[in-house]
Amino acid sequence: MAQALGWWGVPLGIIAGTFRGSVPFLFVSLGECLTEKSGKINLGLEGTLLTGAMSSYAISYLTGSPWLGVIGAGLAGMALGAIHGWLSQQPRVNDVAVGIAMIIFGSGVAFFLGKPFIKPSAPQLPTIDLGNWSNLTQVQAALKISPLFILGMAIAFLMQWFFKSTRWGLYVRAVGDNPDAARAMGISVFKVRMVSIIVGSFLAGIGGAALSLYYPGVWTERISSGQGLIAVALVIFARWNPIQCLYASLLFGGARSLGPALQSVGIDWGYYLFNAVPYVLTLAIMIITCSPKRRLTGAPGALGTDK
Amino acid sequence: MFLTAIDRYSWRKSLEAICIPVGAVLVALIIFGVFCAVVGANPFGVYGSIYKAAFGGWSAWQRTFIQASPLMLSALCTVLPARLGLVIIGNEGALVMGGLGAIAVGLSLGESLPPLLVQIGMAMGGMLFGGIWIAIAGALRHYRAVNETISSLLLNYIAIAFLNHLVGGPMRDPSSLNKPSTFPIAEINRLGDIPGTRIHYGLLYGLIACIVAYILIQRTTFGFAARTAGGNVRAAQIAGLPVGKLTIIICFLAGSCAGLAGMVEVAAVHGVANESLNVGYGYGGILVAFVARHNPLASALVATLLGGILASGGILQRSHDLPDATVLVFQGLVFLMVLYSDSLYGRFAFFQERETLPSNLSPIE
C-alpha cells in the first residue's frame, strides 16, 4: 500500500483506521455513557466486549448470518449486564470491584465457549463502499464503511435526544445526579439503573460484534486489547455527552491507527507510544478541567458514590 | 454484664465473618460444578483436580505460593489507599513500572557490586518507580480533584505502552526474537529460592509487606490518621491532619508494594522485563483487596487462595480436556459470589447480638 502511494499512505491509513477502529469504541462508549449517566460505572464492559465478539462470531459461523450474530452479541451483553446491574446495586457492594470480577468472568466465558471458533472463518458483515469513485484500490479499501458505524452514529444522536427531550431520559439523569431526589419523585432508582446498565451492555455487545465481524474480523483471545476499559476514559473525555462520544471514538480510533500508518512508510519509532496518546490526552484534559472546587461539567452527581 | 455482652457480640460477629465468605465460596463451587456438568465434565473430578493442583501436597503448595507472592504485593496497592477512602486500580501499571525500575537498576549495576546490594538496589528501584506512579494519582486527586480510579486506570495503559516501547526499541536485546525483551540481569543477581524449596524470596517480601501494612494501618498514629481521614476528610482537616501529605504518602507506599511485585517478577521469575509483566497480577490484586475487605492480613490469605486457583490452570486442560479459560470462569464466579456476600452481613438473625435480659433482673410479673 505504502509503496504505491508513498507518504499519502499515512493520512489514508489514518482515515481508514479511524473509520474501522472507531466502531467498537463508539458502541462501547455509548453503552458506558448510558450506564454512567444513571450513576453507576461498569468496568466489566471489557468482558462484555469479548463475549459479544465471541458470540457474534460463533453465531455467524453456525448460522451463516452475520446480522443474527450482531443480535446474539447484544443479547449476550444484556445477560452480563443483568448480572452487573443487579450485583452492583446490592448494599455495600462496590461497582468498581464487581466490574473487575465481571471482566474476569466475561472473558472466561468468552474464551471458554469461543475456543472451538478460533480456527474457522465466519461470514463477515457487508460493508458500504464509499470509495468507488476512485480508481485506487487503496482508497476503495480505506472507505469501506461498516453499516454498524452508521447505526452507531444514529444511536449517538438518538441518545442525545433521549437524554435531552424525553421523560425517560430525564429519569436516567435524575437517578444519576441525585438518587434521593429521584426517589422522592417516585422513580425506582433500582429499575432505572438496571435498565440503563442492561441496555448499555447490549450496545457494548454489539461493539464486540464489530470487532469480530468487521475489523479486524477474526476471533482471537486478544481481540479487544483493553478497549472496553478504555471506553471508561473515553466517556470522561466526551463529558458524558453521546455526540461527543462519537467524536471521541473517531479520535481514539484514529490515534490507534497512527502507529501502524507510520510503520507502513517505514517509521518504526514510537509505535507503542502512539498507542498511549488517547490516555495521555484524557489524563491531560482531566487535569486541566478538574478542580477541587467543583465537579466536572456533565458528570453525574452520584457517580462513584455509594448512593 | 457489659463484658458478657461484648463477648457474645464478638463470637457471633466472628462466626459471621467466617461463615459468609466460606458460604460464598461454596455456592460458587456449586455453580461452577453445574457449569462443568453442562459442558460434559465430571464436577467432582474437576474439584478434585483443582484441589490437588493447588493445595494437594508440597509441590502444589510451592506452585501456589509462587503465584500468590506478586498477588499479595499487588493487592496492597488497592488496600492501603482504600483506608483513605480512595479506590486505586493502577496496580498493573505500578507493577510494570516497578519491573522497569528494577531492570534499569539491575542492568546498570551489573556485577559491579555484591549480589545482595544489587538486589536491594533493584528492590529500591522497583519501589521508587511504582511508588511515584501511584503517588501521581494521589497528588492529582488531592490537588486537582481528578478521580483517582480513572487516573490510575489511565496510568496503567500509559505504563504498558511505555514498557512495550522500551522493550521494543531502546532497551531491546536483539537476541530476543519471538518476545521482545530487555537484556537479562546477571544470573548471580537473580533472586534465589528460599532454602529447601522452589519458592523464591518474593513470598517473604509479600508476607512481610502484608504484616507491615497491617501494623502501619492498625497500630500506629500514622495509620490512625489515615483511617480518620478516610472516615471523614472534612473532620480530619479541621482536626489539623495533613490530608494532602497523607494521601501522597499512602499512595506512594501502595504503589511501591506493586512496584516490588514487578521487581520480584523481573528478578526472580523472568530475569528480563517483557510483556510477561503484564499478565493480570495487577487486576488480580484489586480483586484480592476487595475480597479481603481491605484487610492486609486477609489479603495474604485470599492471595494464596487465588494463587492456588491460578496454579491449577494447566491440570484442567491436561486431565479433563477443559480449555485453560475454565480457571477464569471459576475465578470470576468465586469473586462475584464473595463480593455479593458482602451485602449479606447483618441479614441473618443467628449472627446478631441477642437482646437477653440479664439474669439478675427478674422479669416484671
Side-chain angles (χ1 to χ4, degrees), chain A residues 34 37-38 158-177 187 192 196:
Chain A
L34 180 62
K37 271 284 187 193
S38 78
L158 197 71
M159 197 183 279
Q160 177 79 342
W161 170 79
F162 169 79
F163 283 139
K164 240 185 169 154
S165 318
T166 67
R167 175 182 291 262
W168 281 86
L170 178 70
Y171 288 172
V172 173
R173 284 190 293 139
V175 165
D177 272 332
I187 305 171
V192 169
S196 303

Side-chain angles (χ1 to χ4, degrees), chain A residues 193-248:
Chain A
R193 285 186 172 162
M194 196 74 190
V195 172
S196 303
I197 293 173
I198 291 179
V199 174
S201 302
F202 178 83
L203 293 176
I206 293 182
L211 281 175
S212 64
L213 294 181
Y214 168 55
Y215 183 79
V218 289
W219 158 244
T220 67
E221 297 192 348
R222 307 181 64 138
I223 195 168
S224 100
S225 59
Q227 290 187 40
L229 280 167
I230 294 163
V232 178
L234 202 153
V235 170
I236 295 164
F237 190 84
R239 298 294 180 79
W240 296 272
N241 176 323
I243 306 286
Q244 287 179 26
C245 280
L246 171 64
Y247 303 143

Side-chain angles (χ1 to χ4, degrees), chain B residues 5-362:
Chain B
I6 291 282
D7 283 346
R8 205 181 295 128
Y9 174 87
S10 65
W11 79 255
R12 286 191 188 270
K13 283 288 168 198
S14 312
L15 194 64
E16 184 181 37
I18 294 168
C19 286
I20 286 185
V22 170
V25 172
L26 286 179
V27 172
L29 273 173
I30 294 170
I31 299 176
F32 179 64
V34 173
F35 178 82
C36 288
V38 168
V39 299
N42 175 7
F44 297 101
V46 174
Y47 293 156
S49 298
I50 292 181
Y51 176 77
K52 233 167 59 194
F55 310 112
W58 177 227
S59 72
W61 274 102
Q62 296 191 102
R63 273 197 303 274
T64 297
F65 279 134
I66 291 173
Q67 296 276 352
S69 34
L71 287 170
M72 289 179 195
L73 288 165
S74 132
L76 291 177
C77 187
T78 303
V79 164
L80 291 174
R83 305 321 277 267
L84 267 177
L86 303 180
V87 181
I88 293 275
I89 57 175
N91 318 29
E92 195 92 27
L95 193 148
V96 163
M97 290 310 286
L100 283 174
I103 197 87
V105 173
L107 290 180
S108 55
L109 287 182
E111 293 180 51
S112 62
L113 288 174
L116 185 66
L117 289 182
V118 178
Q119 285 165 4
I120 292 174
M122 285 196 289
M124 301 294 255
M127 290 168 75
L128 188 70
F129 272 50
I132 289 175
W133 208 242
I134 299 301
I136 293 174
L140 289 178
R141 166 77 207 193
H142 184 72
Y143 294 109
R144 299 295 310 166
V146 176
N147 180 298
E148 75 286 353
T149 312
I150 306 299
S151 66
S152 57
L153 177 67
L154 292 169
L155 285 169
N156 281 344
Y157 285 101
I158 297 172
I160 292 166
F162 194 51
L163 169 80
N164 287 334
H165 174 68
L166 287 182
V167 301
M171 286 179 78
R172 180 170 183 179
D173 176 0
S175 65
S176 60
L177 292 176
N178 294 330
K179 198 180 208 176
S181 308
T182 59
F183 288 95
I185 56 170
E187 198 59 38
I188 192 166
N189 290 334
R190 288 184 66 150
L191 214 54
D193 292 341
I194 300 170
T197 70
R198 284 186 288 109
I199 311 167
H200 54 70
Y201 276 101
L203 178 66
L204 286 187
Y205 289 10
L207 288 173
I208 292 171
C210 283
I211 294 167
V212 169
Y214 180 80
I215 295 171
L216 182 74
I217 293 294
Q218 299 293 347
R219 297 273 184 267
T220 64
T221 37
F222 177 78
F224 180 70
R227 282 182 289 144
T228 311
N232 188 334
V233 177
R234 193 56 56 79
Q237 273 164 339
I238 291 169
L241 288 174
V243 175
K245 217 193 238 169
L246 272 173
T247 307
I248 293 173
I249 292 177
I250 290 265
C251 285
F252 180 86
L253 290 176
S256 62
C257 290
L260 192 59
M263 177 267 177
V264 166
E265 286 298 292
V266 163
V269 182
H270 303 297
V272 295
N274 57 27
E275 62 170 4
S276 304
L277 274 177
N278 154 32
V279 289
Y281 285 126
Y283 291 106
I286 301 168
L287 273 181
V288 169
F290 274 99
V291 170
R293 308 180 95 207
H294 305 303
N295 178 326
L297 293 184
S299 299
L301 281 177
V302 178
T304 310
L305 176 72
L306 178 56
I309 296 177
L310 292 178
S312 64
I315 199 143
L316 289 184
Q317 194 167 15
R318 282 195 301 277
S319 45
H320 296 274
D321 201 24
L322 290 169
D324 37 358
T326 315
V327 174
L328 276 182
V329 175
F330 181 48
Q331 198 185 332
L333 278 173
V334 169
F335 282 123
L336 286 174
M337 289 320 296
V338 174
L339 287 171
Y340 169 64
S341 73
D342 249 8
S343 70
L344 295 178
Y345 286 88
R347 286 215 195 155
F348 298 107
F350 179 77
F351 296 125
Q352 300 313 305
E353 190 188 342
R354 297 293 149 94
E355 292 284 338
T356 46
L357 287 165
S359 50
N360 56 349
L361 285 176
S362 51

Side-chain angles (χ1 to χ4, degrees), chain A residues 105-118:
Chain A
F105 180 69
S107 50
V109 170
F111 298 164
F112 187 100
L113 300 176
K115 193 148 192 227
F117 300 102
I118 290 179

